[in-house]
Amino acid sequence: MLLTLPKTESSLIQEILKFLDPSEKHQVWLVGGVIRDLLNDKKECYDIDLALNFNPFKAAREYARFTNSGVVILDDERHIIRVVRTLSNSKVYTFDLSEFRAENIDGDLQARDFTFNAIASPLFGNNIELLKEHKIELYDPLKGIKALENRLIEPCSNQLFIDDPLRIMRAFRFSALYESELSKEILNLIDKSKNLLLNISGERIRDELFKVLSVSNSNKFVKLLDESGIFRIILPELDVCHNVSQNEWHHLDVFDHSILALSKLETLVTLKPPFDWWSDILDYISEIISGSRNYLQLLKFGTMLHDIGKIPCKAIDKETGKISFHRHEVEGAMMIKDICERLKLSSKELNFLQIIIKNHMRPGIIIQQGINEKRLFRFFSECGRDGLAVCLMCLADRYSALGENVTDDELALFAAGIYQIMDEFFIQKSKPIIKPLLNGHEIMKEFDLKPGPIIKHLIEVLEEAQFAEEISTKEEAIFLLKKELFTIK
């Protein structure tokens, strides 16, 4: 079978081959993702993998010097080296060159993970002439093309997870990215090998998990991760939410409710409500927060975990039998810290997750108490722009709690309230910044107070009153604080 390469990729491969000097004895093979992606109709491939039956270090360094490219050794022992080639149009291509993992190409392909990643093309002999026409001939001993066509993920060998347990997570990642099913053989091997993930670093598991969360219907693959027992290994705090019954407001246990909330969130962000600011919401959640992860991925992650605090907080009234989860949102915000440390998430990501988990019930409480300027000012003063993410999570949470007495009209009113709160953020944002009538130093001097939490509280009281236009002079500010201090004392 012949496959056509994009012209740029073909030219770059021909360029590096001049330094690798391939022949029957000096073999170079194109392998892996490039072929898989081109077979999936991808138009550009920036990561190019080459497998060779010799050590590529010397030739790769010479190529890097000639093209003024970056070069880094990925594995000195296994002879794997990377060349990063930047073109004049600023596009960046990466060559990963590795010596065969076995005596020949067949053994090398057998040692790879999944059959659709084990399709190769020889870049020597008569194939050099073929390459000049931007074409390659495919070599597919493990039937990877058929697996790709059938959208099925199949193992190259029974050793794939023993050789690298992270491939378990990669299987779910590829399942999500390519909408492919895991074969029965893969699922059986995962079941036997999943405990090996305990030996894999948190950041490597994190990267694969967040790639799953990058797809628009990640809830489907999150369920698959759960059914395969993976959360017992990587997110035990979520796994223990299974079979934890809830109160009359919920129709599902804590785990199923959390995954349904994720599904509802993914539906929400695809809607096009009639608000001028909706595009700003989509821009916000699309922003990168850390590494390659954006706010939406973190919001999905937080939605999965928003109720983990319910497990330690669950209480049952002895007389009525009613279930409560008092302060579970606060407990959950504390628990997420250990998870972030384990998965090596950044402090910025931790802060975001703590804000959305701790406050996920707050918009609902504001709606219940009555939406007013002061409550919303306080909410957005504390949560900032992330209050918008809190609102999205809160609405998804509400849509996932369908107890016996919940009606469609109630849900519609709740959704309207959430959108009203989000609308208020943009109204507040458009208003000019108000100069405080009194600063912290002036408050301490006026009332003979020492620095501490009380000063922060009094400043917030003034800010809210100023925003609501209840006060406009220093005299009014001092009078208000006198009343507040009297109430506190």
Side-chain angles (χ1 to χ4, degrees):
M1 177 180 175
L2 295 180
L3 182 66
T4 300
L5 290 174
K7 289 184 179 179
T8 300
E9 284 81 338
S10 175
S11 298
L12 287 171
I13 291 171
Q14 292 178 66
E15 181 183 69
I16 196 171
L17 287 179
K18 293 177 182 177
F19 292 83
L20 295 171
D21 192 25
S23 66
E24 291 288 345
K25 291 184 178 181
H26 216 229
Q27 294 182 12
V28 179
W29 292 76
L30 181 65
V31 293
V34 173
I35 297 173
R36 178 197 67 223
D37 290 343
L38 289 175
L39 288 170
N40 264 320
D41 298 323
K42 193 171 181 180
K43 304 305 179 185
E44 293 179 302
C45 301
Y46 296 105
D47 298 314
I48 301 170
D49 293 340
L50 300 176
L52 316 90
N53 66 347
F54 59 94
N55 185 338
F57 282 7
K58 183 175 183 293
R61 289 188 177 110
E62 289 175 353
Y63 172 67
R65 280 195 296 270
F66 182 79
T67 56
N68 197 28
S69 300
V71 62
V72 59
I73 294 175
L74 300 180
D75 191 325
D76 201 5
E77 185 178 345
R78 294 171 57 195
H79 298 158
I80 305 174
I81 192 168
R82 173 173 294 170
V83 179
V84 182
R85 177 89 161 86
T86 304
L87 304 186
S88 57
N89 60 7
S90 298
K91 289 186 177 181
V92 179
Y93 289 82
T94 300
F95 283 101
D96 280 357
L97 298 88
S98 59
E99 192 168 0
F100 284 170
R101 311 174 193 201
E103 292 184 3
N104 52 41
I105 188 62
D106 289 315
D108 181 83
L109 297 178
Q110 193 83 39
R112 293 178 181 269
D113 50 13
F114 313 114
T115 57
F116 60 41
N117 287 332
I119 308 166
S121 176
L123 301 178
F124 53 89
N126 296 332
N127 294 283
I128 296 296
E129 294 302 315
L130 199 60
L131 187 60
K132 291 177 181 177
E133 300 175 13
H134 309 303
K135 296 183 184 299
I136 55 174
E137 184 175 6
L138 299 185
Y139 179 64
D140 184 24
L142 300 179
K143 311 300 180 187
I145 296 174
K146 184 178 180 181
L148 205 56
E149 290 172 348
N150 292 335
R151 302 228 169 257
L152 191 63
I153 299 174
E154 297 182 315
C156 290
S157 76
N158 291 337
Q159 288 287 117
L160 81 163
F161 298 139
I162 295 172
D163 293 341
D164 183 359
L166 186 66
R167 288 171 171 174
I168 295 171
M169 295 300 297
R170 281 168 58 86
F172 293 100
R173 186 243 288 188
F174 281 123
S175 180
L177 293 179
Y178 293 102
E179 283 282 346
S180 298
E181 290 188 21
L182 300 177
S183 70
K184 290 182 180 179
E185 189 178 359
I186 281 275
L187 289 171
N188 287 335
L189 290 171
I190 288 173
D191 186 54
K192 294 175 182 177
S193 308
K194 58 180 178 282
N195 285 332
L196 295 174
L197 284 172
L198 291 168
N199 301 319
I200 300 298
S201 67
E203 58 264 42
R204 295 183 75 200
I205 289 174
R206 171 203 68 201
D207 289 346
E208 298 298 332
L209 176 60
F210 275 84
K211 285 171 184 173
V212 172
L213 293 175
S214 71
V215 303
S216 60
N217 61 336
S218 65
N219 66 92
K220 172 183 175 181
F221 304 98
V222 165
K223 290 175 186 174
L224 187 57
L225 280 161
D226 170 57
E227 290 166 2
S228 301
I230 301 303
F231 287 141
R232 286 200 294 273
I233 310 299
I234 68 170
L235 281 177
E237 299 89 347
L238 179 60
D239 184 68
V240 295
C241 294
H242 278 292
N243 302 316
V244 178
S245 57
Q246 303 201 73
N247 55 32
E248 68 274 11
W249 293 101
H250 295 80
H251 65 300
L252 298 171
D253 68 17
V254 176
F255 181 89
D256 289 336
H257 162 75
S258 300
I259 304 309
L260 180 58
L262 171 62
S263 176
K264 296 295 183 182
L265 175 70
E266 293 187 317
T267 299
L268 280 175
V269 297
T270 64
L271 300 178
K272 295 181 180 179
F275 304 115
D276 293 337
W277 42 259
W278 188 249
S279 61
D280 292 331
I281 299 288
L282 298 181
D283 289 342
Y284 156 50
I285 60 177
S286 297
E287 286 179 20
I288 296 296
I289 180 170
S290 183
S292 60
R293 298 175 294 281
N294 62 26
Y295 279 91
L296 179 55
Q297 288 167 287
L298 265 294
L299 179 55
K300 290 182 184 185
F301 188 62
T303 301
M304 285 168 53
L305 300 169
H306 76 281
D307 274 348
I308 56 173
K310 282 186 172 180
I311 288 37
C313 291
K314 183 175 180 177
I316 302 175
D317 189 282
K318 292 181 180 179
E319 295 182 4
T320 64
K322 286 190 174 182
I323 298 171
S324 64
F325 302 100
H326 183 57
R327 289 180 63 80
H328 75 274
E329 69 280 9
V330 177
E331 181 69 22
M334 292 190 291
M335 290 172 66
I336 200 69
K337 184 177 181 182
D338 287 341
I339 296 172
C340 287
E341 288 177 355
R342 190 167 69 239
L343 297 181
K344 301 296 188 291
L345 290 165
S346 67
S347 58
K348 190 174 181 180
E349 290 168 301
L350 168 61
N351 182 61
F352 174 76
L353 288 168
Q354 287 188 315
I355 286 174
I356 62 175
I357 291 175
K358 183 180 179 181
N359 292 283
H360 76 266
M361 298 176 65
R362 196 165 168 186
I365 294 171
I366 291 173
I367 293 171
Q368 187 178 34
Q369 293 176 337
I371 297 174
N372 63 38
E373 281 192 332
K374 288 183 72 172
R375 289 192 178 108
L376 295 182
F377 178 80
R378 187 181 307 125
F379 172 61
F380 285 114
S381 291
E382 293 177 16
C383 295
R385 184 181 65 165
D386 295 335
L388 298 170
V390 173
C391 287
L392 288 173
M393 179 193 282
C394 182
L395 185 53
D397 186 25
R398 188 69 186 87
Y399 279 149
S400 309
L402 304 177
E404 294 179 3
N405 299 320
V406 177
T407 67
D408 290 342
D409 287 344
E410 286 175 325
L411 289 176
L413 284 172
F414 191 90
I418 292 293
Y419 288 128
Q420 184 181 343
I421 292 172
M422 296 174 79
D423 187 60
E424 181 63 23
F425 171 81
F426 293 96
I427 294 173
Q428 290 186 14
K429 186 180 177 182
S430 66
K431 291 183 177 182
I433 297 174
I434 301 172
K435 184 178 179 181
L437 294 171
L438 293 172
N439 60 37
H441 179 74
E442 290 170 324
I443 292 171
M444 287 187 288
K445 184 177 180 181
E446 179 68 33
F447 297 102
D448 192 27
L449 296 172
K450 294 181 179 180
I454 184 66
I455 306 302
K456 182 177 183 291
H457 170 71
L458 295 174
I459 289 173
E460 289 172 350
V461 168
L462 284 184
E463 287 176 341
E464 291 169 17
Q466 275 190 261
F467 180 81
E469 298 181 349
E470 295 174 352
I471 58 174
S472 59
T473 66
K474 282 193 175 185
E475 290 74 20
E476 290 173 334
I478 291 170
F479 183 71
L480 175 65
L481 293 188
K482 281 181 181 179
K483 290 198 299 181
E484 183 67 21
L485 285 167
F486 180 78
T487 302
I488 294 171
K489 291 176 181 178

